[in-house]
């Protein structure tokens, strides 16, 4: 049994992560920390865990004490900034660290600081790896000490697009338009008027147009997979009246001569045999409700002969494949477990 | 008091139309027809009208009898095809007709028949006018005998885009990408598995990609307003977990040299003083929940300096400004009432 | 045109009240106050009013200035406590006041202070009248200077029960069990974790069991209508995943010999000709969705022959008949307008 | 590995059951039948199972062939009536059968036939056992051949009430009032207007007052646990705008001298150590959202000193503890697996 700890688990992703780890047959949840909730039983803060929490209590977040413990692997479910502070202590102590925040997702320090402000552990960036479990080549499993799990929007965008930019002859690198619609849990557990039930029910609303932070991560990954040629996308995020789920619709011109079969061939060669990426037939469209609670990306595409565009749609559960489930999948692969253990 | 009749009022748009007309201070609702509901009190079929329905009962739909009545104006709230059958009798009898279906929205018969099949009253097309109350020049009020009210998706697309294509120097005519998200009432009152509560809650899903019927109407109107140059758009419709509302997000490259001020100037010169089109400041985004029950389009735009695209967002209540409210607005203008009477 | 003012209009009931008054053909909205929003346009705080707000701006709440103005009638849409402070100034100045808070709903000062704490204007209690427009005998229209509009839960309970306790021989005065389910707007616009979208969607939860404040109002009214005999009820309020609406289900033993016809006769004699109380046939049950946006109570009852109980169900829109609509209805009656003007 | 089959798995409970069994570490899902879906892959009918369905296909429902197979245990996820037809063949063939329908829940044939019509296998009633896993004494594990799993409403009612009626001195046997609010999946996957998204969102509505079928099951169980004294309850079921979940609120007079501590003592002696029944402290109320996807009943109670009533609230996920999860829990216990395996 692998001993794991979760640092900063009082938000929605943290709750989902605890749920997965408590039911995971190969791990022991040895410590759960939260500054604001220290001393409280898990199930008091996250009542969905009643009867399942093995009597665990939130403890205060003391990085040195955790570094000195016999815990093998830590998940950081903290805001950006705070995550780097913990990584700075845990990684040098030889712990494996999977970070769910943005702190180590972006290799280019200048880009990070433009979107997020000062970085608190830039010295760790060379040791960190951004790992999309189906896309990142497997060498990371032995090379890395610190894994950055992809964000929710980026997972919904990169999973369909990376195989296509890699192929080089399927899609245009220009005029890529991404519209994403996120359930409200994507905003975190924030007691703000904007996220009240009465405000968000029956409501769709764009936000963060032209400057959403996930842009940095999406474009860096796309560009890296395009042989370094810079890819700039239009990314339009929205809030939708759901608890969970992201629905992303991507419009991109087909490259000259590209066909829908070429697109599907690129997807199949990348995802064949990978249970957590489900490629639907062209003409069938994925549905956020079908992936709720699962670690899947469902996706499909059509070629619109009138416009010459591919229209690609993908869906994820933002708290599972978009956050905690993907982190568990990374742990499974990193620690030599079966990829799907503890996940749906 | 104007005597009006509603033909085919058993669906969601029909119910909304009855609600508006029953409260309208300048009209008398003289007849409400429905083949399937004939003989039943209005409020049995539409319980939201209890106490407000003046004892009215659905009558059978007999076009000749209606043509011979003293009713001045008819609303057709029928499926396409059926609407033309009634128009064929009522218009020659000298009645004013406002059609909420697609039958007279498309001037080009070949295009109509490609999307909808055989037209049942092509001889009326020259007498029919597509009227978007804020965009169509006012001559229609005296010229027309038969008005086609715009559809819900088209209203959300044409209201922001027509002033821009008219201007000529603000947006590109290519790479226009429209993503629209509709509440479930947009699909009508159909007892199909796809529209069940359990299927649609927590669900966003694209549908009708590359071939939605509203494309014909949108492109014909855009092209007509672009001096006849053919405009082809990418139109991606989706279902969203709301009862009502359409949220449309349009991405379009700015024309060379175009600025956000130019865009806003075009909107303001078109919509200044028009209460049902509300232009929000750039950076503020509209919200479907804010227009529920109203006859408004709320809209705004930003220019994304990274991509050179305008991102335009608009919202409407699909049953009001997207259907029945707009039909009442057309009646108000046509009959010389104040434009806003009976509407919010 | 009657000049009216609204004091404290930044919450959900306040927004609904402004919506109704702005569209009301017999009143001029002359002042809208809010301490927290002073200086802002109405439609900035309440975007649903865009295009309808006649350029009005929130002004600061200065009771003396308002008392000296030419405004005829004030609505108080304030928290309890604050309402009394304004009434204390406005009533002596000869203004008509309709209070939507609890401050003047309870005649018994000791009961008020048990549930709400110190009363800030007890000297006004003799001048105040609790007015349920369909139940309170019409003498209030000339006698009162200060009207307390009933609360949302009480409206849903008193409308069906008062005619039955008045009759004396229809229902038991014991074992009355009231379960009520309220949409989230009933809690007000509070930025608390409990009212977040993610917390409230898919959630039903009891709260305030045994000690909800509306108990005082419900029991005082029932007892007063039972010839002063004390009626104690079990009142179980819950939150339900809706924006608006209250669904109340009342179980009460039938009095010996009582029949369902006797119950309906009592209702009909009270409500015949009153458009805002709709009595449905026994066996048909009301639905919160059917009254959204309306000023109606829909209600029905069955007699369960197995248990000897009447089961009564009633629904209201908590923001309309449960608050602002009812206040407008009271104004209509008080000022001699048609009861239904400006209401659905 | 236990070989199991699921008969009639195309509805919502069936889908949930497949989801649980496909992830269950101790069983092999050997056959899944559906008359209407025969020949189709599981994940085409239930897209939430994509990537998890092991290539399984629905087969036609042939009772004799199934009886002759090497499958050890069958779940019947069929409508009542149809379930008995299969049980009639499978039980005599020595198969273990867990029935999710009503066919074997009611021991009294006359009562069954009053609520459900003719019984198709009355000869099996003596071999069948109604098993509530936490309440039924464990002898059933060796005695029974055919298990009736409790219904969703009954689970929410019996779990709190049975320990209290058994105790004899805690609650009254009269004036028991049960109000239950069910998510829409409780009605099954029926393409009827009543269950459309637009009809059910923002809607609470009572239905089946005085005659709901689950009454028979609830009262028979309560009476059997009250030493055979007949208990009659008022049961008021409602539809609520949720996909899943039942919230039940029970009002019952306390027996003379009974205290809240006595009630909690009865619950604790019954449920101590049972992970799927979580007793919350008095004053804290359970929430349907907290049990979604779990096999738990969460419940609590207060004593209202004003009325002398206990108010008890309980919540379940109607598709898990109210149907499929409970059936899996029964299988776990019957087959000697750990009670919680494969369940949350």
């Amino acid at each position: 049994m692998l001993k794991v700890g979760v640092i900063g688990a009082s938000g929605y992703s943290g709750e989902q992560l605890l749920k997965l780890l408590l039911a995971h047959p190969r791990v022991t949840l040895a410590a759960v920390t939260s500054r604001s909730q220290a001393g409280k039983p898990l199930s008091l803060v996250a009542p969905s865990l009643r009867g399942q929490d093995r009597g665990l209590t939130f403890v205060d977040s003391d990085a040195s004490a955790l570094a000195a413990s016999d815990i093998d692997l830590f998940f950081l479910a903290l805001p950006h900034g705070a995550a780097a502070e913990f990584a700075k202590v845990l990684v040098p102590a030889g712990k494996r660290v999977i970070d769910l925040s943005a702190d180590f997702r972006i290799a280019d320090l200048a880009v990070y600081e433009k979107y997020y402000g000062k970085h608190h552990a830039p010295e760790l960036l060379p040791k960190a790896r951004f790992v999309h479990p189906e896309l990142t080549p497997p060498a990371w499993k032995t090379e890395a000490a610190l894994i950055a799990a992809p964000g929710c929007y980026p997972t919904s965008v990169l999973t369909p697009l990376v195989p296509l930019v890699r192929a080089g002859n399927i899609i245009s690198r220009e005029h890529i338009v991404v519209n994403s619609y996120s359930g409200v849990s994507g905003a975190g557990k924030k007691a703000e008027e904007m996220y009240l039930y009465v405000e968000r029910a029956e409501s769709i609303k764009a936000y963060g147009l032209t400057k959403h932070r996930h842009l940095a991560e999406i474009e860096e990954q796309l560009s890296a997979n395009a042989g370094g040629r810079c890819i700039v996308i239009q990314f339009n995020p929205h809030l939708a009246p759901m608890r969970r789920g992201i629905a992303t619709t991507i419009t991109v011109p087909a490259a000259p001569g590209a066909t829908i079969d070429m697109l599907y061939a690129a997807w199949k060669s990348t995802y064949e045999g990978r249970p957590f990426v489900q490629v639907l037939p062209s003409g069938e469209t994925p549905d956020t409700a079908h992936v709720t609670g699962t670690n899947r990306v469902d996706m499909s595409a059509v070629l619109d002969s009138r416009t010459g565009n591919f229209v690609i749609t993908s869906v994820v559960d933002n708290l599972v494949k978009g956050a905690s489930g993907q982190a568990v999948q990374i742990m499974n692969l990193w620690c030599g477990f079966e990829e799907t253990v503890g996940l749906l």
Side-chain angles (χ1 to χ4, degrees), chain A:
Chain A
M1 299 293 279
L2 183 80
K3 283 197 165 184
V4 305
V6 177
I7 301 181
S10 60
Y12 293 128
S13 299
E15 180 172 344
Q16 176 67 57
L17 183 57
L18 296 177
K19 208 165 184 62
L20 293 170
L21 293 173
L22 285 163
H24 196 289
R26 304 295 300 272
V27 311
T28 301
L29 185 57
V32 184
T33 85
S34 162
R35 269 180 195 144
S36 60
Q37 308 292 347
K40 293 188 193 162
L42 295 201
S43 62
L44 196 71
V45 176
S48 71
L49 302 178
R50 281 189 192 116
Q52 192 194 358
D53 72 353
R54 303 181 192 173
L56 282 167
T57 299
F58 283 98
V59 297
D60 201 0
S61 304
D62 176 337
S64 309
L66 295 165
S69 73
D70 64 348
I71 293 172
D72 301 300
L73 184 152
F74 287 93
F75 294 93
L76 308 182
L78 294 160
H80 66 88
E85 301 280 11
F86 277 87
K88 203 152 67 171
V89 179
L90 297 171
V91 171
K95 303 302 185 187
R96 295 186 189 216
V97 174
I98 299 174
D99 180 16
L100 282 80
S101 88
D103 278 352
F104 301 100
R105 286 178 186 157
I106 297 163
D108 184 328
L109 182 61
V111 172
Y112 178 91
E113 299 202 327
K114 179 178 158 205
Y115 282 90
Y116 294 95
K118 190 174 152 44
H119 199 293
H120 295 283
E123 70 280 10
L124 288 180
L125 284 173
K127 296 188 176 173
R129 291 292 297 274
F130 176 95
V131 173
H132 181 300
E134 284 86 5
L135 288 172
T136 308
W140 67 269
K141 292 183 214 172
T142 50
E143 292 166 6
L146 168 55
I147 306 295
C152 50
Y153 283 126
T155 297
S156 77
V157 177
L158 297 173
T159 308
L161 278 190
V162 164
L164 308 184
V165 299
R166 282 184 184 164
N169 62 342
I170 297 176
I171 59 170
S172 160
R173 288 202 186 81
E174 302 197 328
H175 297 298
I176 302 179
V177 178
V178 177
N179 279 266
S180 287
Y181 293 73
S182 172
V184 186
S185 63
K189 202 185 218 167
K190 289 187 204 138
E192 297 175 12
E193 211 171 87
M194 184 176 177
Y195 304 117
L196 293 177
Y197 183 88
V198 178
E199 301 300 316
R200 298 269 56 81
E202 291 282 302
S203 162
I204 293 186
K205 183 186 172 67
Y207 74 101
L209 292 178
T210 80
K211 52 181 188 287
H212 195 282
R213 285 168 163 173
H214 280 166
L215 254 178
E217 177 184 348
I218 296 170
E219 292 185 342
E220 188 179 89
Q221 290 297 319
L222 288 179
S223 300
N225 281 283
R229 271 185 292 183
C230 186
I231 292 188
V232 174
I233 66 164
Q234 185 65 50
F235 177 55
N236 302 331
H238 301 71
L239 279 175
M242 314 186 285
R243 299 172 86 201
R244 296 177 165 217
I246 287 178
T248 288
T249 295
I250 304 167
T251 298
V252 53
T259 64
I260 189 74
D261 289 345
M262 289 166 64
L263 179 149
Y264 269 80
W267 280 357
K268 284 190 179 149
S269 73
T270 309
Y271 296 120
E272 195 95 79
R274 302 306 295 265
F276 294 131
V277 179
Q278 292 288 319
V279 175
L280 278 57
S282 182
E284 200 174 316
T285 49
D287 184 325
T288 54
H290 295 160
V291 298
T292 302
T294 81
N295 196 47
R296 296 202 320 260
V297 181
D298 283 6
M299 62 190 197
S300 70
V302 291
L303 177 55
D304 189 336
S305 59
R306 298 172 59 261
T307 59
N309 292 326
F310 288 115
V311 181
I312 300 166
T313 50
S314 70
V315 297
V316 297
D317 181 329
N318 58 306
L319 298 180
V320 187
K321 183 67 176 173
S324 304
Q326 188 144 263
V328 170
Q329 183 186 2
I330 289 168
M331 175 192 74
N332 286 347
L333 294 167
W334 206 4
C335 300
F337 306 149
E338 199 185 348
E339 183 175 12
T340 57
V341 64
L343 296 168
L344 286 180

